[in-house]
Amino acid sequence: MLMSRRMTVNSPLPFPTPSMEGNVWPAVPNRRSAIMLSLLFQLEQSQWWDKERLQAAQFRQAAELLRHARRTTPYYGERLSEIGWRYGQPLTAEIWSELPLLRREDIQDAGERLHSRALPKSHGKTGTISTSGSTGKPVRVLTTELTTAMWVACTLRDYIWRRCDFGAKLVAIRYDRSETATYPDGKQARSWGGAYGGALPTGPGSMLSIMTPVAKQVEWLARQDANYFITFPSNLEAILRHCQAENIRLPKLREVQTMSELLKPPLRELCQEVWGVPLTDMYTCQEAGYIALQCHGHTHYHAQAENMIVEVLNDDGSATAPGETGKVVVTHLHNFASPLIRYDIGDFAEVGEACPCGRGLPVFNRIVGRARGLITLPNGDQFWPFFSNHKFAEIAPIRQYQIVQKSRESLEIRLVVEPNLSAEQEDKMRTLLAARLGYPFAMTFSYFDEIPRSASGKFEDFKSEL
């Protein structure tokens, strides 16, 4: 059975879409659905394995990846030539820790030398993912039908973990690459997307471009009568603030999910306060896919160990202990087109203890931040800053802000506010920020009608140009 006895669902899972005339129940799925259902069946079993069994399975798959990368990609043919491990020998944690880290600069410099020259035909057709370059360092990697299948399997696992009603309506406000999800209608669909041939049929879905003004987003949301809503954390906060000010409720909404950006804990409370629904987060990387999903009933995350090896490392390369924070390093176990082996993605996370839910999947207490989000003090100390909208609102009705570190001693404060702050209000902001940051930075104020999002729709309230 697909669901373990350790987990109950609020509504039954849908039957696969039948592929044979006259066949309704038990449904015989088509080939694509059968592949997906097979993956889900295996994920249902492996999530309960202990750490040792999970790691053994990961290293079996990683050995195949290493062998393929060394034999078919010029980049890894050179990079892995000096390691002592050879295919056929056991791959251990000690050997794995000796493999060099892959950084964004390495991917950029390698270019097509990172692409396999002999991709197994069974992995299917290739596609291309280009990151938005919000760090100033965009990268381009190839994907395959296999990597897409793993992405969809994790998506469906997420729905199952969250105990979603598959017959309900899901809407999204996110980056619209096709430029077809424009206001006032957005883009309508018969399903949530990612069903992979009807493996688990869903209710309708719809999407709106995140570049739509917030007031119009809220008006569109109200018309959708949706049960589930997904968007970026920064966009959700803007929507919630608008709904709070206008006393707007969404009576049919059951749950909100966030993605792509760092989620700040107070946003969960705000979502409950304004709409009375829970907020679930996911942790993904555009180049590699799902890294971790939030556990149902908790605020921590489970690494998707069947999709990738996720390491959280100290500066010296050693593994962090529960409660410690380190840099996130991922290895996509199934991308043979552009192997990403021990890829330092520039994020930081805090490792957690084993989860009371019983799953053996590794735990992250929280995603702490990104390297580009660190503020640097003149003495070299660094930390992730956190700013309070409530405190800003006590000074002026600030609708949007972004703080940019220009040097070790100076900040630019970008604001959307009407009217511009007075000299006295600017001084109050300086005092507030100096107390928050622990240093009296020189601060200049810039005023905007709107602070634009990145090309991919993401937004950061702090960024460093150092």
Side-chain angles (χ1 to χ4, degrees), residues 271-314:
C271 191
Q272 280 283 357
E273 178 185 343
V274 177
W275 287 339
V277 300
L279 189 161
T280 302
D281 191 40
M282 68 169 75
Y283 180 33
T284 64
C285 166
Q286 192 171 4
E287 305 96 294
Y290 284 91
I291 300 174
L293 297 173
Q294 186 177 323
C295 183
H296 182 76
H298 303 86
T299 57
H300 57 239
Y301 306 74
H302 283 295
Q304 298 303 284
E306 302 91 346
N307 193 40
M308 60 182 68
I309 295 174
V310 185
E311 303 172 78
V312 183
L313 305 179
N314 293 307

Side-chain angles (χ1 to χ4, degrees), residues 81-278:
S81 62
E82 297 180 0
I83 67 171
W85 177 83
R86 291 294 179 268
Y87 183 74
Q89 299 174 344
L91 183 58
T92 64
E94 292 71 27
I95 294 172
W96 185 257
S97 67
E98 295 174 1
L99 298 177
L101 299 186
L102 178 72
R103 294 179 172 82
R104 296 181 72 90
E105 295 87 347
D106 299 324
I107 299 176
Q108 291 174 308
D109 293 342
E112 293 187 358
R113 295 175 59 251
L114 192 64
H115 300 170
S116 173
R117 294 179 175 176
L119 180 68
K121 291 183 178 180
S122 57
H123 287 219
K125 297 178 181 179
T126 61
T128 302
I129 288 180
S130 297
T131 67
S132 63
S134 55
T135 61
K137 302 173 183 176
V139 299
R140 176 177 174 272
V141 298
L142 299 179
T143 62
T144 67
E145 291 182 35
L146 174 58
T147 62
T148 299
M150 290 304 301
W151 181 292
V152 175
C154 290
T155 299
L156 295 179
R157 167 187 261 183
D158 177 51
Y159 296 155
I160 293 169
W161 280 11
R162 291 162 55 200
R163 308 177 186 183
C164 290
D165 175 359
F166 279 77
K169 183 175 184 179
L170 180 148
V171 301
I173 299 179
R174 58 191 303 174
Y175 173 57
D176 173 30
R177 184 177 287 104
S178 68
E179 299 183 355
T180 59
T182 55
Y183 184 84
D185 297 323
K187 182 165 61 177
Q188 307 298 316
R190 295 181 179 179
S191 70
W192 298 353
Y196 207 73
L200 294 177
T202 70
S206 59
M207 185 175 80
L208 183 70
S209 169
I210 199 167
M211 301 305 183
T212 307
V214 171
K216 291 183 177 180
Q217 289 186 39
V218 172
E219 190 275 331
W220 180 85
L221 265 178
R223 281 191 281 116
Q224 299 307 304
D225 279 336
N227 307 110
Y228 301 106
F229 171 42
I230 182 169
T231 192
F232 296 169
S234 62
N235 193 55
L236 175 63
E237 181 172 5
I239 288 173
L240 287 170
R241 297 290 180 194
H242 181 90
C243 288
Q244 187 177 48
E246 301 296 329
N247 195 29
I248 296 172
R249 299 291 183 265
L250 302 177
K252 291 189 178 180
L253 192 64
R254 303 177 191 174
E255 183 181 18
V256 176
Q257 186 171 47
T258 50
M259 61 177 185
S260 295
E261 299 172 346
L262 177 66
L263 174 69
K264 297 178 180 178
L267 192 55
R268 296 184 189 274
E269 299 174 8
L270 183 63
C271 191
Q272 280 283 357
E273 178 185 343
V274 177
W275 287 339
V277 300

